[in-house]
Amino acid sequence: MTARLGAFCFRHRWKVITWVILAACAGLAAPLAGPVPQEHHRGWRLTATVTGIDGGADAATATLHGTMRDVARIPGVTRIRVSGPATGHDHVTLAVTLARSADDGAHDAAAARAAARLRRIGDTLPGARVRIGGDAWTALAARSARERDARRSKVVAVPVAIAVIAVSAGGAAAACTLVVAATAAAGIAQGARLGLGLLPGAPDGATPLVPLLAFALAAGHGLVLLARYREELVPAYREALVTGGGEVGRAARAEAVERAWHGTGRTVLFGAAAIVIPLIALVPLPSTVLRAVAADGASAAAGAALVSLTVTAALAAALGGRLRPSPGAVASPGFNGALSRVEAGRFNRAAAFAQRHPVRVGAAVAALQAPACVPLLTARTPDLWTVFRPAEHTGPSGESYALYGAVGAAVPLALGLLLFLAGRAPGPAIGAPLAVLLTAAAAVGATTVPHGSALDPVAVTAAAALAPGLALNYALCPLGRIREYRDGGAERRAAVLWGAQAGGRVVAVAALPMVVVAGTLATARTDVTAQFGTVLLIAGALDALLLRHLLLPALLAFRDRDRDPRRRLRRPRRARPDAPPGHLATVHELERGDDRPPRA
């Protein structure tokens, strides 16, 4: 399916580019569906404590009464009164009650106008000092701080991510392709989120996470697709170099797109599904923000995958010869396409070590992450469990417990089925979902080190639901390459080593835009945004250091299908007659340089 989609977009490149750009512009021009939803009560009371005045003086009395008349005329204000001097006559408190309007914008505007008018008391009365408070002011200040953090994240993260893309893309044409695809994905994901908010029962508020997450995911998907497309072009460029035919023709490029999208495009789709599945666990929770984050993550993942599979192929056709493989790959005699033998590297050596000692590697990974989960099991973070508490109960009811348990059990099973379909290996399908959930818990526990035990339950729960999907999204790249080597006829151990090196090298670069986004969020000024980014950053570091390059090869070693007595006497699979250039037969054929089966 993905191969046909890539071929269609390659043939109709200008139509695809036009429609995607129009949809992206519409999504970017449309505002988010209302303000960011808030979990806590937004507040209805605004207070102004005025000190340093003589409450009985005529000037002070006239100023206070004039201020009360002006504030009472503000739309959205229902009542204002003087609480009276607290101690002496130099301390007066004005209490403003706001209307219980359903419009958050009108509520915030009324609170801001009332606070601005109350602050003018200090300009009118010499020596007077005004301190604004109340639950409405606290909620407005927190909301404004989060919006400033969101704007700062976009201003900082997007240029840095573009710079990373420009350095790692391998050429100006590839960098422009990735930037255009990532920007289009951000717009389409935002538009999809707007449409999703119109559905009955869907949260109508959206967080600024949508464009940032879509931009980073689409840039990573595009890097993986372009790298595979260039690898598939190597045989055609080598043939053109030998025959002196000049530039590679359009037909050869179309075949390269079809082969690249057949393998890597499938990985992109599985990666988007891996992101969406853990977010489903947030839907039954009694939290508006968590349901909004689930909708945001699903919109970003779907938009990034769709744009990457369509626009990247269309731009590859439009740019033509400007996207070409590296001269080193063309000149290398041992490289003959995407499924050629991969030379040894750091990812190859790590995978070889994990294959030799799978039990030790698995135990070491679990032992390294288990201590970080201890704060979740102690009384240091009691507020984290409030997200599971229904609003109408003081504690979770029996029905809520049953629903949470059913969803919690379904998520690992669904992730395991997805991994089995992606890699056709039972080891990762069983162990990887549990491993990424342990990594998410360890990341939340490790967040208590920089932020203390006062973690925001909504922020860390949202990040913990997003982190497993992101980890599996990047782990599917080497797993998909391993499956392709196995389908091409390579022996299991050679397929694991070559796939870990080829896929690990590409995904290490593809994950950089997401690292930039998570790092920008982790350095935010508000605790909620900083904790969300910190959990994602720690989970990404654990995934890159432990799961992707050590645990995944170790899980692939637990069931060696080549040791099955029923398969031991069967001849090794040979390359299909219609296989693309560079497709493997067996590891013995590659090592000897011919296509004869090995001796018994």
Side-chain angles (χ1 to χ4, degrees):
M1 182 182 70
T2 54
R4 291 194 294 269
L5 177 62
F8 174 84
C9 296
F10 190 90
R11 288 193 304 269
H12 307 281
R13 54 192 182 278
W14 296 117
K15 293 181 181 179
V16 172
I17 292 173
T18 302
W19 282 108
V20 169
I21 289 178
L22 290 176
C25 292
L28 291 174
L32 290 176
V36 177
Q38 302 299 318
E39 182 64 31
H40 303 292
H41 201 277
R42 59 186 177 183
W44 314 108
R45 182 184 174 94
L46 190 71
T47 62
T49 302
V50 185
T51 59
I53 63 171
D54 184 1
D58 293 338
T61 302
T63 300
L64 293 176
H65 282 287
T67 301
M68 293 173 64
R69 286 194 301 270
D70 294 341
V71 172
R73 297 192 185 101
I74 296 175
V77 174
T78 59
R79 180 184 179 188
I80 180 172
R81 62 186 179 86
V82 179
S83 296
T87 55
H89 293 280
D90 61 347
H91 187 127
V92 177
T93 301
L94 300 179
V96 180
T97 303
L98 301 177
R100 296 179 178 269
S101 172
D103 188 355
D104 288 340
H107 178 273
D108 293 345
R113 289 183 60 186
R117 181 61 185 90
L118 293 171
R119 288 185 185 277
R120 287 167 52 188
I121 297 176
D123 301 332
T124 305
L125 297 177
R129 295 182 299 276
V130 181
R131 187 175 71 251
I132 306 297
D135 54 0
W137 178 253
T138 303
L140 178 62
R143 196 154 46 244
S144 301
R146 284 192 288 270
E147 292 175 356
R148 287 195 300 270
D149 278 339
R151 290 192 296 269
R152 171 182 172 273
S153 300
K154 294 179 182 178
V155 171
V156 175
V158 173
V160 174
I162 292 175
V164 170
I165 292 171
V167 172
S168 58
C176 292
T177 300
L178 295 174
V179 171
V180 170
T183 306
I188 289 179
Q190 186 161 304
R193 180 63 183 90
L194 286 170
L196 189 61
L198 299 177
L199 297 178
D204 57 352
T207 66
L209 180 67
V210 179
L212 286 177
L213 185 60
F215 188 93
L217 286 174
H221 293 332
L223 278 167
V224 174
L225 288 169
L226 283 184
R228 180 61 182 274
Y229 170 64
R230 286 169 161 177
E231 291 177 358
E232 295 289 354
L233 283 175
V234 169
Y237 268 88
R238 182 171 297 158
E239 182 180 356
L241 182 65
V242 171
T243 59
E247 189 59 46
V248 173
R250 179 179 173 82
R253 293 185 176 276
E255 292 177 1
V257 166
E258 190 169 356
R259 290 196 301 266
W261 263 241
H262 174 71
T264 308
R266 181 177 54 192
T267 302
V268 170
L269 286 182
F270 282 131
I275 295 174
V276 174
I277 288 174
L279 293 175
I280 297 176
L282 300 179
V283 175
L285 296 180
S287 171
T288 305
V289 176
L290 292 180
R291 291 196 297 270
V293 169
D296 296 345
S299 303
L306 177 63
V307 172
S308 300
L309 292 173
T310 55
V311 173
T312 309
L315 290 175
L319 293 174
R322 295 180 181 87
L323 288 176
R324 60 180 65 199
S326 63
V330 177
S332 176
F335 190 87
N336 193 30
L339 292 182
S340 296
R341 178 174 179 173
V342 180
E343 299 298 331
R346 62 175 63 93
F347 305 115
N348 197 311
R349 290 190 291 268
F353 176 80
Q355 287 271 296
R356 289 194 301 269
H357 311 285
V359 178
R360 297 179 184 178
V361 168
V365 170
L368 289 174
Q369 297 184 90
C373 302
V374 173
L376 301 180
L377 305 176
T378 62
R380 292 184 58 191
T381 54
D383 295 336
L384 290 182
W385 309 106
T386 58
V387 296
F388 301 100
R389 182 177 301 161
E392 65 272 12
H393 300 289
T394 57
S397 62
E399 294 80 3
S400 299
Y401 269 133
L403 181 60
Y404 300 159
V407 174
V411 167
L413 293 177
L415 290 177
L417 178 60
L418 180 71
L419 288 171
F420 184 78
L421 293 176
R424 293 180 184 173
I430 297 173
L434 302 178
V436 294
L437 294 178
L438 178 63
T439 299
V444 174
T447 307
T448 59
V449 176
H451 293 281
S453 58
L455 298 182
D456 185 82
V458 175
V460 297
T461 302
L466 187 60
L470 293 177
L472 291 179
N473 172 64
Y474 295 116
L476 281 169
C477 183
L479 184 62
R481 296 300 290 266
I482 292 170
R483 173 185 171 177
E484 291 186 63
Y485 278 114
R486 291 288 287 149
D487 290 344
E491 293 180 347
R492 182 197 57 82
R493 181 174 175 81
V496 172
L497 298 184
W498 297 349
Q501 178 64 24
R505 184 172 52 196
V506 174
V507 79
V509 180
L512 290 179
M514 185 59 67
V515 173
V516 171
V517 171
T520 305
L521 295 174
T523 56
R525 294 181 177 88
T526 58
D527 291 338
V528 174
T529 308
Q531 291 172 11
F532 181 86
T534 302
V535 173
L536 290 183
L537 198 60
I538 295 175
L542 292 174
D543 169 54
L545 296 176
L546 300 177
L547 301 185
R548 194 187 310 154
H549 306 305
L550 288 176
L551 187 61
L552 182 62
L555 292 173
L556 287 167
F558 274 109
R559 183 180 177 183
D560 188 353
R561 297 183 65 189
D562 292 339
R563 294 178 183 173
D564 191 342
R566 294 172 297 178
R567 297 174 53 90
R568 187 175 300 168
L569 300 179
R570 296 179 60 181
R571 292 183 61 183
R573 288 180 293 180
R574 302 170 66 91
R576 301 189 308 270
D578 59 341
H583 216 71
L584 289 183
T586 66
V587 64
H588 303 281
E589 296 168 10
L590 271 178
E591 291 176 347
R592 294 204 312 270
D594 57 29
D595 59 351
R596 292 172 297 176
R599 294 181 180 179

